[in-house]
Amino acid sequence: MSPHFTRVVKEVYGYEDVRYMVAGHKTWQATINPYYTEPEFLRMAQQHGLAHVLVDLRPAARAAAGHIAGAVNFPAETDLVAAAKALDAALEEAGIKKNARIIYYGDDDRVTRAFHDTMHANSWNNGYILNGGMAAWRAKGYPVDHGPLAAKPVYEGTTVLPGAMSMSEFEKIALHTPPDTVIIDTRSPAEWKKTGVVPGALLIPIDTLARRLDEVPRDKNIVVHCAAGNRALQVWRMLIDRGWDPAKVRWVDGKPHKSKKHILKKM
Amino acid sequence: MRQLEKRGLLGRAAVLAAASVVLAAPAMAASHIAPNCKGCHQADEETIWGTIVPGSQTDSSLEVSTGGHVWKVRYDRESTLEGFTSARDLRDEKAVMVAFTPAGDGWVHAEAISYKPSYHFHTMDHVVTISEVAQILEKSPEEGHYMIVDARGYDNFIEGHLPNAINIPYYRLLEFKDRLPADKRTKIIAYCRGFT
């Protein structure tokens, strides 16, 4: 969607030099470039039980004096390469896969970035730098643990994001929508026409939602879908922010038009 | 330009076609959206999507054709005009969106008018590669005079983003446009999910 975005920023708002990075964020991350996660996400991951390895890169004493719950300690400020080697070995020993979500933090984002780059070069390809490190975490007022840190990394928990619904679950609901459930298709009219829609679904393009919120029931289960999950996730966020019950709203993490069950029917 | 002319011609053809429909069925409710706009937009009771009727632009009004119907639109200093100061700045048959309140006498009062940027903009003329971005990022935003914009939603942004990136979800640009820098010469680099 950036193509439209760049055009509007240039022509409507008058910025002289507007560029579009076509390759997108996934390719950026895959090509060993630094990638930052926010404290808000890590906090959500803790509360939701999202599987991740959290690595504190500060000296043991400083980490013990205040760290983020669940972190393992691999001090990297004095010998970064040795620390990366030690973590690499510990992850291998724990049987953790190379695509596991790993979040690094410390007191100096430059050290964290160098560490991230070293790990990435060693094929740990789903690493994140906690933006702003320990200071940013504290600034948010999030809880800080004290005492010795765990030495062995563990990778436990769910890999499903909050509110997400798998395609297999959605297929069942799309074929037999229960009376207490409303499906919202947040794609554009052109997409509805091209691929068809789930019969009975409420059709609200994402850019129209703000004006049509009163059509979205509050007392029913809501399932939002789009073409791949991005817009559905954004609509999920909009509804939660506007007071819909988080227990009743789900977003579909998948591509309904690719379903082998043919859940979309011609309009 | 040729593309624009073609669109204009298509628009006229649609107006003529729709006009004959209206003659045949005069009781039909006034159309809020032109056929050409339907691919990407949806009208509602208080929004119209259509094209500017040639020569109708004045400093306080314009007429918008939605194919079957011509809307007489008044605007004043209370109206939000996006990217222009007078309807006279806008060319004939330009596609516009008008959010309105009925004003009586067959007029509507515009709360907001926004126009569609031209089709001259080819995104591929404005691309930047990952290695170019990596090079730009070697300097701080102040030093390098740039802003990296992550155009995805909030949840995608907090999960992972480029260094120094600012989050402006593309479908909420109007809401978050104040996050863009004051200096219009700042290099803006936008990214999202990428072509898949």
Side-chain angles (χ1 to χ4, degrees), chain A residues 1 10-11 13 15-17 19-22 25 35-38 101 190 205 211-212 230 234 237, chain B residues 39 42 44 117-118 126-128 155 158-161 170-171 177 181 184-185 187-188 190 192-194:
Chain A
M1 284 299 135
K10 188 175 174 70
E11 297 199 345
Y13 297 113
Y15 288 87
E16 289 169 18
D17 189 5
R19 301 293 164 125
Y20 174 45
M21 192 180 86
V22 188
H25 72 103
Y35 207 51
Y36 291 77
T37 195
E38 293 295 323
R101 184 189 301 274
R211 292 200 302 270
R212 294 180 57 186
N230 288 40
Q234 293 172 42
R237 168 62 59 189
Chain B
Q42 260 197 339
D44 57 39
S118 79
H126 300 267
V127 298
V128 60
D155 291 271
I158 61 165
E159 178 175 0
H161 58 79
Y170 69 84
Y171 72 100
K177 64 177 192 298
K184 304 269 182 183
R185 288 167 305 173
K187 186 193 277 291
I188 310 281
C192 56
R193 205 158 175 261

Side-chain angles (χ1 to χ4, degrees), chain B:
Chain B
M1 198 63 211
R2 192 167 298 158
Q3 217 181 352
L4 279 174
E5 280 165 10
K6 219 193 266 174
R7 278 180 181 280
L9 285 173
L10 282 174
R12 268 193 287 275
V15 171
L16 289 174
S20 57
V21 171
V22 170
L23 287 175
M28 198 173 74
S31 156
H32 281 61
I33 185 161
N36 277 356
C37 306
K38 276 185 188 161
C40 304
H41 304 290
Q42 260 197 339
D44 57 39
E45 286 301 305
E46 294 182 343
T47 316
I48 47 178
W49 302 81
T51 53
I52 296 178
V53 173
S56 69
Q57 306 94 323
T58 77
D59 286 334
S60 61
S61 73
L62 75 162
E63 291 176 11
V64 177
S65 167
T66 53
H69 186 77
V70 171
W71 294 79
K72 294 166 124 184
V73 180
R74 267 193 213 117
Y75 64 94
D76 55 28
R77 67 180 66 181
E78 301 296 315
S79 311
T80 306
L81 307 180
E82 282 172 34
F84 64 99
T85 49
S86 164
R88 289 207 279 200
D89 299 342
L90 304 178
R91 68 165 177 81
D92 293 349
E93 296 194 332
K94 198 160 185 67
V96 290
M97 184 276 282
V98 181
F100 68 87
T101 45
D105 306 341
W107 285 84
V108 297
H109 178 262
E111 280 175 10
I113 305 175
S114 73
Y115 70 88
K116 191 167 188 135
S118 79
Y119 282 84
H120 289 299
F121 189 88
H122 294 296
T123 301
M124 288 308 160
D125 296 341
H126 300 267
V127 298
V128 60
T129 66
I130 282 183
S131 51
E132 284 166 342
V133 174
Q135 209 175 354
I136 289 166
L137 279 167
E138 282 171 13
K139 288 184 181 168
S140 70
E142 297 76 31
E143 240 186 317
H145 215 57
Y146 67 84
M147 178 183 274
I148 309 279
V149 176
D150 186 322
R152 300 172 302 152
Y154 169 80
D155 291 271
N156 292 126
F157 175 79
I158 61 165
E159 178 175 0
H161 58 79
L162 267 60
N164 310 325
I166 306 292
N167 186 211
I168 306 180
Y170 69 84
Y171 72 100
R172 295 166 85 176
L173 177 55
L174 198 58
E175 195 179 328
F176 291 120
K177 64 177 192 298
D178 293 345
R179 292 184 183 179
L180 290 166
D183 185 350
K184 304 269 182 183
R185 288 167 305 173
T186 309
K187 186 193 277 291
I188 310 281
I189 296 161
Y191 72 92
C192 56
R193 205 158 175 261
F195 287 150
T196 49

